[in-house]
mmCIF file of all heavy atoms in Angstrom:
data_model
loop_
_atom_site.group_PDB
_atom_site.id
_atom_site.type_symbol
_atom_site.label_atom_id
_atom_site.label_comp_id
_atom_site.label_asym_id
_atom_site.label_seq_id
_atom_site.Cartn_x
_atom_site.Cartn_y
_atom_site.Cartn_z
ATOM 1 N N ARG A 216 6.707 -18.339 -30.871
ATOM 2 C CA ARG A 216 6.158 -16.992 -30.692
ATOM 3 C C ARG A 216 6.970 -16.222 -29.641
ATOM 4 O O ARG A 216 7.209 -15.019 -29.785
ATOM 5 C CB ARG A 216 4.692 -17.071 -30.281
ATOM 6 C CG ARG A 216 3.772 -17.705 -31.322
ATOM 7 C CD ARG A 216 2.322 -17.567 -30.924
ATOM 8 N NE ARG A 216 1.448 -18.327 -31.798
ATOM 9 C CZ ARG A 216 0.966 -19.543 -31.522
ATOM 10 N NH1 ARG A 216 1.288 -20.119 -30.361
ATOM 11 N NH2 ARG A 216 0.186 -20.167 -32.365
ATOM 12 N N ALA A 217 7.353 -16.906 -28.579
ATOM 13 C CA ALA A 217 8.167 -16.258 -27.548
ATOM 14 C C ALA A 217 9.502 -15.807 -28.123
ATOM 15 O O ALA A 217 9.981 -14.692 -27.841
ATOM 16 C CB ALA A 217 8.384 -17.221 -26.382
ATOM 17 N N ALA A 218 10.124 -16.656 -28.959
ATOM 18 C CA ALA A 218 11.405 -16.302 -29.579
ATOM 19 C C ALA A 218 11.238 -15.114 -30.525
ATOM 20 O O ALA A 218 12.125 -14.249 -30.619
ATOM 21 C CB ALA A 218 11.973 -17.503 -30.315
ATOM 22 N N ALA A 219 10.113 -15.055 -31.221
ATOM 23 C CA ALA A 219 9.881 -13.947 -32.151
ATOM 24 C C ALA A 219 9.759 -12.619 -31.391
ATOM 25 O O ALA A 219 10.252 -11.576 -31.854
ATOM 26 C CB ALA A 219 8.621 -14.217 -32.970
ATOM 27 N N GLU A 220 9.119 -12.649 -30.229
ATOM 28 C CA GLU A 220 8.998 -11.425 -29.432
ATOM 29 C C GLU A 220 10.375 -10.970 -28.937
ATOM 30 O O GLU A 220 10.691 -9.773 -28.951
ATOM 31 C CB GLU A 220 8.069 -11.663 -28.249
ATOM 32 C CG GLU A 220 6.615 -11.900 -28.617
ATOM 33 C CD GLU A 220 5.922 -10.635 -29.070
ATOM 34 O OE1 GLU A 220 6.507 -9.542 -28.954
ATOM 35 O OE2 GLU A 220 4.767 -10.728 -29.543
ATOM 36 N N ALA A 221 11.191 -11.909 -28.509
ATOM 37 C CA ALA A 221 12.527 -11.556 -28.047
ATOM 38 C C ALA A 221 13.397 -11.049 -29.192
ATOM 39 O O ALA A 221 14.189 -10.107 -29.033
ATOM 40 C CB ALA A 221 13.187 -12.762 -27.374
ATOM 41 N N ALA A 222 13.246 -11.653 -30.364
ATOM 42 C CA ALA A 222 14.014 -11.209 -31.525
ATOM 43 C C ALA A 222 13.609 -9.799 -31.941
ATOM 44 O O ALA A 222 14.446 -9.025 -32.443
ATOM 45 C CB ALA A 222 13.803 -12.185 -32.686
ATOM 46 N N GLU A 223 12.349 -9.445 -31.731
ATOM 47 C CA GLU A 223 11.884 -8.100 -32.049
ATOM 48 C C GLU A 223 12.671 -7.057 -31.260
ATOM 49 O O GLU A 223 12.986 -5.975 -31.770
ATOM 50 C CB GLU A 223 10.388 -7.990 -31.733
ATOM 51 C CG GLU A 223 9.770 -6.638 -32.016
ATOM 52 C CD GLU A 223 9.554 -6.391 -33.499
ATOM 53 O OE1 GLU A 223 9.713 -7.344 -34.301
ATOM 54 O OE2 GLU A 223 9.250 -5.238 -33.858
ATOM 55 N N VAL A 224 12.993 -7.387 -30.032
ATOM 56 C CA VAL A 224 13.764 -6.462 -29.197
ATOM 57 C C VAL A 224 15.176 -6.294 -29.745
ATOM 58 O O VAL A 224 15.752 -5.199 -29.692
ATOM 59 C CB VAL A 224 13.794 -6.968 -27.742
ATOM 60 C CG1 VAL A 224 14.641 -6.056 -26.858
ATOM 61 C CG2 VAL A 224 12.378 -7.071 -27.184
ATOM 62 N N LEU A 225 15.750 -7.357 -30.284
ATOM 63 C CA LEU A 225 17.118 -7.301 -30.811
ATOM 64 C C LEU A 225 17.185 -6.579 -32.153
ATOM 65 O O LEU A 225 18.184 -5.908 -32.462
ATOM 66 C CB LEU A 225 17.667 -8.716 -30.975
ATOM 67 C CG LEU A 225 17.876 -9.523 -29.684
ATOM 68 C CD1 LEU A 225 18.298 -10.945 -30.024
ATOM 69 C CD2 LEU A 225 18.913 -8.847 -28.804
ATOM 70 N N GLU A 226 16.144 -6.670 -32.952
ATOM 71 C CA GLU A 226 16.199 -6.162 -34.321
ATOM 72 C C GLU A 226 15.824 -4.690 -34.427
ATOM 73 O O GLU A 226 16.282 -4.007 -35.339
ATOM 74 C CB GLU A 226 15.272 -7.000 -35.215
ATOM 75 C CG GLU A 226 15.728 -8.446 -35.349
ATOM 76 C CD GLU A 226 14.688 -9.310 -36.043
ATOM 77 O OE1 GLU A 226 13.596 -8.770 -36.370
ATOM 78 O OE2 GLU A 226 14.948 -10.502 -36.247
ATOM 79 N N ARG A 227 14.996 -4.223 -33.515
ATOM 80 C CA ARG A 227 14.533 -2.835 -33.617
ATOM 81 C C ARG A 227 15.494 -1.870 -32.919
ATOM 82 O O ARG A 227 16.235 -2.250 -32.018
ATOM 83 C CB ARG A 227 13.131 -2.695 -33.009
ATOM 84 C CG ARG A 227 12.047 -3.322 -33.856
ATOM 85 C CD ARG A 227 10.680 -3.105 -33.221
ATOM 86 N NE ARG A 227 10.362 -1.689 -33.034
ATOM 87 C CZ ARG A 227 9.209 -1.251 -32.534
ATOM 88 N NH1 ARG A 227 8.273 -2.123 -32.163
ATOM 89 N NH2 ARG A 227 8.991 0.048 -32.399
ATOM 90 N N ARG A 228 15.480 -0.628 -33.359
ATOM 91 C CA ARG A 228 16.255 0.425 -32.722
ATOM 92 C C ARG A 228 15.348 1.152 -31.735
ATOM 93 O O ARG A 228 14.305 1.682 -32.111
ATOM 94 C CB ARG A 228 16.805 1.402 -33.761
ATOM 95 C CG ARG A 228 17.647 2.529 -33.163
ATOM 96 C CD ARG A 228 18.123 3.475 -34.250
ATOM 97 N NE ARG A 228 19.020 2.805 -35.163
ATOM 98 C CZ ARG A 228 20.330 2.663 -34.967
ATOM 99 N NH1 ARG A 228 20.887 3.177 -33.861
ATOM 100 N NH2 ARG A 228 21.080 2.046 -35.838
#
Side-chain angles (χ1 to χ4, degrees):
R216 297 188 188 98
E220 293 287 352
E223 180 75 10
V224 178
L225 294 175
E226 295 171 358
R227 288 182 58 178
R228 181 182 295 275

